Amino acid sequence: MFNNFKWNLIIGLLLSFPDLVQGQDEVTNAFDDLKRQGIVVSEEYCEMRQQASQDALEALIRENPVAGYFCFTEDRMHDIRMTDAIPQRWVERPVALRTKLNGDCRPGEFYTWQVGLFAPYQALSDVSVSFSDWKNEKGGRIPAAAFRCFNLGGIDTKGASFKKQVNVDKGTVQALWIGSDIPTDAIGVYKGTVVIRPAHAQPVKIHCELRVEGPVMTDKGDGEGWRKSRLRWLDSSIGNQPEPTYPYIPVKMDKRSISWLGGTMVLSNTGLPRSISTHYDSSNQLCAQIENALLAKEMTFVIETQQGKEIWKNGTLRITGQSRASVSWKVCSKSSHFEIVCTGNLGFDGLINYKMEVKALNDVKVKDIRLEVPYTSYAAKYMMGLGHKGGFRPDSLINWRWDTTNHQDKIWMGNVNAGLNFCFKDENYVRPLVNIYYALGKLNLPDSWGNSNKGGIDIIPEESGVVLLNAYSGERLMRKGETLHYDFNMLVTPVKPLNLKELAEKHFYHSNSDISAGYIPAALQAGANMINVHHKKDIYPFINYPYYDDAIPDLKQFIAKAHQKELDVRLYYTTRELTVKIPELWALRSLGTEVIHDGPGSETRTLIHRNGPHEWLNKNLKTHFIPAWYNAFKEGKYAGDMDISVITTPDSRWNNYYLEGLDWMIKNLGLDGVYIDDSALDHQTLQRARRIMDADGKRRLIDMHSWNHMNQWAGYANSLHLYLELLPYVDRTWIGEGFGFYNTPDFWLVEMSGIPFGLMSETLDARNVFRGMIYGMLPRLPWSGNPVPLWKLWDDFGMKDARIRGYWDNRCPVKTGNENVLATAYVKDDRALVILANWTDSPQTAHISMDEELLGFKPSFCLLPEVRDVQWKGNISLQKPYEMMGRGGLIILLEK
């Protein structure tokens, strides 16, 4: 048996070669995909790209129709692509057929088609579309109410109907996409009319004949993208039910006290919180007897003039809505100069939305309008936001000013089991772009809080047990009747209990290989039970469109085969970047910037488009777009092909489409969950997604990844902070692309581990086994390393039934006597797995001591378990000092 000195030396030598020890040569770098080039199918020979000759165009314009513009019908197979020219096929079409539709579809289908408006003489404004009933010879009817024009409005992400105004500039073409639910009992030829009517112009009547025949379509055509039936998904309200999702419970209200899973808030007379408490222990497990106070005293909204602070006469607090999912309330308050209407809403996940509507009753000079949030010192130990990396809250005054050059409008302060996040906004809030695209879609400076950059946030160091967050807006003159909206969101953290059991049981396999044939064998051999399928795969070729017609059979077969081997399959699926390969591209383009985000087009320069967009985008989209991710296939079914994408608009109807697509994949492909990468999804959309995923009672997982946003391209934002409002519906985080192992323990805890927010995580670029395991973080196979030996260790130990006792928990039974060496214990009945990690580059000595009462047993058996490529098996004495090499650590098994 080796003596301690020799054992320490060997362990130290191993840990000094991290590439060897942890297989870092196997780690994936997705940016390498950008080095590949391939072919994007040219549209040069597309019939709808063949421009009318100048002579033919001039001859058409000389017709000068009574209406003052032209209408051309097109079926769904001839997408109108050009807005600055008309296709040759239009000028060749007889006049009588320009405004006639001849279509065919099947019973039960959602049928789509187009009308192209060409305005060569003058601009058209406020175009409307009306429909007649369509009837067949036997009196069968497709009612007018079954038709819709997607360009004129629809259903937003909250389930509310909205209208859009369509204008057509002089000399341009506007496509109007129309769709209709065809009854399942429809048969024969249906005839009807559609009237196009711009304001201040003559209407044009479109005569339509639709032949309906064949077998009934039970899925409305959603299974075949070429039909473009999925356009109806844009107007879906799926998942909008007012019910809590797992693991949440219904919201309860007793007088002014509102409770939800893990939290309680008591309202004051103003409608703002008097107190907020969480009910989690230091391992973020629910405990009804625990009350962690977030507020030292009630929150206050202050208006100060030259005469001093306004004195308020508060009205009655009224409950304006209550369901199992939320509670809403309202308070009206008055002073001599102002009226405030405070409305609030608390959801079952602990997200609280406030709207403070401030109205001036006369002309008044304002010295300041501010929100004062008195945190307890306990709930202000850590912070992130306002340009500060996550970790310990600085002891000095923090003075931050609004500047939308930076993606900063949020501040979180808290402890591991009690925190509060704020996001400040007004009625003009628009969700900004994330990642390297922030500069192309920045925050709107809120008129209220920002006040022409006079506003800001001070965080005042602790005094008498209080840490004050002061969100102020500064001096201004308000005119009589002027109204300002001081809106903000608060999220109480943790959002849910930690689920170590799920982390220990669910093992991901996540490869970047183009070829999927090896995924299932590799996953099975490694002991994984879930496969994440990225885009750029032979079964899923194009980004964020997994239901691509050509790939669906392959993807369906892959998932079925995986299920036979008891493997779950989850897909990369989010909203932010969207492939141009989608069949609905030109329909979405006809919606203006509603779905495809506005941008500089061919003039765009980004971190990955230093020389501008791909030539295909420049030729075919030309303007009003932002180029996004691209990659090419090196091998497999799509070898030589290239995927290019554009940025989508946050909070658009594309979210509805996304959710219907999720539902379709669950029901038709057997999807087991999704992997979300830097996303434009909002809180409500992911809540809806959670309902969809849980609808049949099966547990499906969402894991979320983010790049390092603390840089000039991303607006110096905190990666995890961007998505805090999504975390109630996320099962695991994977934060840290660009985060190194060298970061401080408090940064690991706050920005990487997910623990203060109720989630567990995995390591990415921060590849250090010991530091990761302090927080329950393992590498992801094979993307960021090899966790297989650690999976075996966890399984042999019984990690799924253990309790985590981290160094941040006063119940941690292990001490090292060295502040540079941290310890976490995983305790299971009469066994414990203890992790030590040296957080320096130099050797450190640990004087290991155990608190047997906290441990729950007296250890009589103590060893270093063998973990392949990490440490060898050996004995260890807890009575002697132990030396660890820089960046090293120990895994110790204790038994009674």
Side-chain angles (χ1 to χ4, degrees):
M1 184 63 64
F2 292 109
N3 62 34
N4 280 348
F5 174 79
K6 289 181 179 178
W7 178 247
N8 289 348
L9 179 62
I10 291 169
I11 291 289
L13 287 172
L14 282 173
L15 295 176
S16 68
F17 296 98
D19 286 353
L20 172 64
V21 173
Q22 300 183 48
Q24 293 188 27
D25 55 324
E26 300 295 329
V27 170
T28 300
N29 182 356
F31 286 92
D32 288 342
D33 293 347
L34 298 176
K35 300 173 184 177
R36 303 181 185 182
Q37 292 297 317
I39 296 171
V40 184
V41 176
S42 173
E43 291 220 332
E44 184 179 352
Y45 302 106
C46 170
E47 186 177 11
M48 295 301 289
R49 285 280 179 201
Q50 304 309 306
Q51 295 186 23
S53 67
Q54 187 62 33
D55 288 345
L57 178 62
E58 290 175 357
L60 178 72
I61 292 174
R62 283 196 295 271
E63 291 183 17
N64 199 12
V66 174
Y69 58 97
F70 295 90
C71 288
F72 298 90
T73 61
E74 283 293 357
D75 62 24
R76 57 191 170 189
M77 303 306 294
H78 292 83
D79 304 65
I80 298 171
R81 288 160 156 79
M82 299 183 293
T83 59
D84 56 355
I86 63 171
Q88 180 68 22
R89 66 184 262 129
W90 284 3
V91 297
E92 293 174 350
R93 187 179 298 175
V95 175
L97 297 182
R98 292 175 187 166
T99 55
K100 184 173 177 61
L101 171 72
N102 283 292
D104 59 88
C105 69
R106 286 166 52 183
E109 185 175 356
F110 185 85
Y111 178 69
T112 59
W113 57 287
Q114 312 158 83
V115 177
L117 274 67
F118 176 44
Y121 311 108
Q122 60 183 10
L124 305 176
S125 63
D126 198 10
V127 176
S128 67
V129 181
S130 59
F131 306 93
S132 72
D133 292 346
W134 292 16
K135 299 177 182 178
N136 67 6
E137 295 176 349
K138 297 180 180 180
R141 189 169 65 98
I142 303 174
F147 293 87
R148 70 183 90 167
C149 176
F150 293 99
N151 305 78
L152 298 181
I155 306 298
D156 67 17
T157 59
K158 296 180 180 178
S161 61
F162 72 98
K163 293 182 178 180
K164 291 178 64 177
Q165 183 167 313
V166 172
N167 302 319
V168 187
D169 291 338
K170 180 181 177 181
T172 66
V173 175
Q174 170 67 49
L176 299 176
W177 276 87
I178 294 167
S180 174
D181 276 307
I182 306 303
T184 56
D185 61 353
I187 194 73
V189 177
Y190 289 77
K191 297 181 179 181
T193 59
V194 175
V195 177
I196 310 298
R197 183 179 283 107
H200 315 298
Q202 294 293 317
V204 170
K205 184 177 288 187
I206 308 293
H207 296 275
C208 307
E209 291 188 9
L210 181 64
R211 181 176 297 277
V212 184
E213 57 186 1
V216 174
M217 298 204 80
T218 57
D219 68 348
K220 297 187 179 295
D222 295 345
E224 297 173 295
W226 65 266
R227 295 180 183 274
K228 303 182 180 70
S229 301
R230 297 173 190 161
L231 284 173
R232 68 185 184 86
W233 291 358
L234 291 171
D235 293 327
S236 174
S237 294
I238 190 172
N240 262 328
Q241 302 89 342
E243 285 290 330
T245 64
Y246 177 84
Y248 296 100
I249 60 176
V251 176
K252 294 182 180 179
M253 185 157 194
D254 181 12
K255 297 180 181 178
R256 293 190 176 184
S257 177
I258 310 173
S259 61
W260 66 98
L261 181 75
T264 302
M265 180 173 73
V266 178
L267 298 174
S268 70
N269 292 334
T270 66
L272 293 172
R274 174 175 292 162
S275 65
I276 304 176
S277 299
T278 62
H279 311 299
Y280 290 91
D281 66 16
S282 298
S283 295
N284 277 344
Q285 298 302 306
L286 290 169
C287 182
Q289 290 72 42
I290 292 177
E291 286 200 18
N292 306 306
L294 276 75
L295 299 181
K297 50 187 176 181
E298 72 180 57
M299 202 179 296
T300 55
F301 190 76
V302 177
I303 300 182
E304 189 174 359
T305 67
Q306 301 300 324
Q307 289 74 44
K309 295 180 182 179
E310 293 289 291
I311 298 173
W312 300 97
K313 181 179 180 181
N314 299 316
T316 303
L317 187 148
R318 293 191 300 112
I319 303 303
T320 57
Q322 187 169 359
S323 69
R324 289 165 51 86
S326 66
V327 174
S328 300
W329 61 93
K330 182 177 182 179
V331 176
C332 297
S333 303
K334 264 192 175 184
S335 70
S336 55
H337 298 104
F338 298 94
E339 180 179 80
I340 295 179
V341 179
C342 168
T343 58
N345 173 274
L346 184 146
F348 61 82
D349 53 12
L351 181 65
I352 307 153
N353 292 288
Y354 269 106
K355 297 183 183 297
M356 307 293 291
E357 187 176 295
V358 178
K359 181 180 180 180
L361 301 178
N362 44 58
D363 292 353
V364 58
K365 268 192 170 183
V366 174
K367 189 174 181 181
D368 192 22
I369 300 178
R370 62 183 179 269
L371 178 71
E372 295 181 351
V373 185
Y375 282 78
T376 61
S377 58
Y378 179 83
K381 182 175 182 178
Y382 303 101
M383 71 162 283
M384 67 174 165
L386 311 184
H388 290 260
K389 291 175 64 174
F392 290 121
R393 176 183 54 82
D395 292 333
S396 57
L397 171 70
I398 293 174
N399 180 251
W400 174 86
R401 298 291 289 269
W402 278 95
D403 177 3
T404 57
T405 302
N406 297 324
H407 189 174
Q408 296 170 9
D409 60 346
K410 300 180 177 71
I411 169 66
W412 175 84
M413 286 199 295
N415 209 314
V416 170
N417 56 353
L420 194 58
N421 186 69
F422 283 88
C423 178
F424 297 93
K425 56 185 73 175
D426 67 5
E427 79 279 18
N428 297 313
Y429 177 79
V430 174
R431 190 174 307 280
L433 297 181
V434 298
N435 205 284
I436 63 173
Y437 306 102
Y438 175 70
L440 298 166
K442 296 180 182 178
L443 287 164
N444 284 339
L445 182 71
D447 289 340
S448 52
W449 299 106
N451 190 18
S452 301
N453 296 106
K454 296 176 187 174
I457 296 174
D458 288 342
I459 298 177
I460 301 168
E462 181 180 352
E463 184 177 335
S464 303
V466 177
V467 176
L468 183 65
L469 185 155
N470 179 23
Y472 63 91
S473 57
E475 294 184 346
R476 70 193 326 145
L477 174 64
M478 287 188 71
R479 298 293 185 184
K480 181 178 180 179
E482 183 181 354
T483 300
L484 293 170
H485 297 265
Y486 285 83
D487 301 344
F488 59 93
N489 291 348
M490 300 190 304
L491 179 68
V492 180
T493 63
V495 297
K496 55 189 170 185
L498 282 183
N499 195 337
L500 179 59
K501 182 177 189 293
E502 189 170 75
L503 180 76
E505 289 181 329
K506 302 295 187 181
H507 299 161
F508 287 169
Y509 178 84
H510 192 150
S511 172
N512 194 41
S513 169
D514 293 5
I515 308 297
S516 62
Y519 292 179
I520 292 174
L524 291 171
Q525 183 180 5
N529 47 32
M530 295 196 301
I531 297 176
N532 268 15
V533 179
H534 221 71
H535 62 93
K536 192 190 67 68
K537 303 292 171 276
D538 54 1
I539 53 175
Y540 176 9
F542 307 121
I543 190 167
N544 288 326
Y545 202 82
Y547 18 79
Y548 184 70
D549 283 357
D550 184 57
I552 284 175
D554 299 326
L555 182 56
K556 188 172 185 177
Q557 184 180 38
F558 178 88
I559 294 174
K561 186 175 180 180
H563 286 174
Q564 290 172 2
K565 302 293 185 179
E566 298 185 348
L567 294 169
D568 285 352
V569 177
R570 302 157 68 258
L571 301 182
Y572 181 111
Y573 190 54
T574 184
T575 64
R576 179 172 64 101
E577 297 164 315
L578 182 62
T579 178
V580 299
K581 302 279 190 175
I582 62 172
E584 301 94 343
L585 176 65
W586 302 109
L588 297 182
R589 187 65 166 165
S590 78
L591 301 178
T593 59
E594 182 189 348
V595 172
I596 298 175
H597 200 287
D598 199 3
S602 60
E603 300 302 315
T604 310
R605 301 294 183 270
T606 71
L607 186 62
I608 64 172
H609 292 92
R610 296 180 184 274
N611 297 318
H614 190 279
E615 193 58 28
W616 190 97
L617 294 173
N618 292 337
K619 284 183 177 179
N620 296 295
L621 295 187
K622 297 183 180 179
T623 62
H624 300 290
F625 71 90
I626 299 172
W629 190 259
Y630 61 91
N631 52 249
F633 287 86
K634 187 167 61 175
E635 53 188 334
K637 180 177 177 178
Y638 298 94
D641 201 351
M642 188 166 185
D643 185 21
I644 55 177
S645 64
V646 292
I647 293 293
T648 58
T649 303
D651 301 344
S652 74
R653 280 189 288 174
W654 190 248
N655 287 18
N656 297 334
Y657 189 109
Y658 170 90
L659 293 169
E660 281 285 352
L662 176 63
D663 186 60
W664 186 87
M665 289 189 292
I666 288 171
K667 292 174 178 175
N668 292 277
L669 303 181
L671 188 66
D672 301 303
V674 294
Y675 161 63
I676 296 175
D677 184 6
D678 275 331
S679 181
L681 292 168
D682 66 301
H683 168 267
Q684 183 167 354
T685 299
L686 208 57
Q687 182 185 105
R688 294 168 63 189
R690 185 81 266 172
R691 290 194 181 101
I692 292 166
M693 293 174 68
D694 296 347
D696 61 2
K698 178 176 177 176
R699 181 82 176 118
R700 295 180 174 87
L701 267 64
I702 300 175
D703 73 296
M704 185 158 195
H705 164 62
S706 178
W707 180 61
N708 181 2
H709 287 70
M710 190 59 71
N711 54 61
Q712 71 234 40
W713 302 287
Y716 296 98
N718 306 81
S719 302
L720 184 62
H721 209 187
L722 294 175
Y723 306 114
L724 281 192
E725 293 181 6
L726 304 185
L727 295 189
Y729 310 107
V730 173
D731 299 290
R732 189 181 300 190
T733 60
W734 196 29
I735 306 297
E737 186 175 5
F739 290 168
F741 65 86
Y742 46 78
N743 278 294
T744 58
D746 53 318
F747 179 88
W748 274 74
L749 178 65
V750 173
E751 283 217 45
M752 294 168 62
S753 77
I755 287 172
F757 310 103
L759 285 89
M760 306 295 285
S761 189
E762 292 169 290
T763 56
L764 212 165
D765 289 345
R767 292 181 290 277
N768 183 294
V769 165
F770 304 106
R771 295 181 187 182
M773 280 190 64
I774 290 289
Y775 307 98
M777 300 168 70
L778 301 182
R780 178 171 292 191
L781 179 75
W783 196 285
S784 61
N786 180 19
V788 175
L790 296 163
W791 288 349
K792 184 178 185 305
L793 172 71
W794 283 26
D795 291 344
D796 291 345
F797 168 69
M799 186 68 83
K800 66 184 180 67
D801 298 316
R803 304 180 305 279
I804 184 173
R805 297 286 186 262
Y807 69 85
W808 57 88
D809 188 338
N810 56 16
R811 297 169 302 172
C812 180
V814 187
K815 304 297 180 188
T816 68
N818 185 335
E819 64 180 7
N820 294 315
V821 180
L822 301 183
T824 289
Y826 298 91
V827 183
K828 177 183 177 290
D829 300 327
D830 54 3
R831 307 181 81 201
L833 198 65
V834 175
I835 316 299
L836 304 184
N838 177 1
W839 235 274
T840 75
D841 293 338
S842 306
Q844 296 289 324
T845 300
H847 299 267
I848 304 171
S849 62
M850 298 284 175
D851 187 319
E852 294 176 0
E853 184 176 346
L854 291 175
L855 189 61
F857 62 92
K858 179 180 177 65
S860 60
F861 184 73
C862 176
L863 64 78
L864 300 168
E866 181 176 1
V867 184
R868 180 167 53 87
D869 297 334
V870 177
Q871 73 177 23
W872 290 335
K873 186 175 182 178
N875 295 320
I876 182 172
S877 172
L878 301 181
Q879 280 70 49
K880 297 180 180 180
Y882 205 90
E883 185 172 324
M884 279 168 283
M885 295 297 291
R887 308 180 191 175
L890 288 177
I891 302 173
I892 305 171
L893 178 63
L894 304 176
E895 292 187 356
K896 185 174 180 180

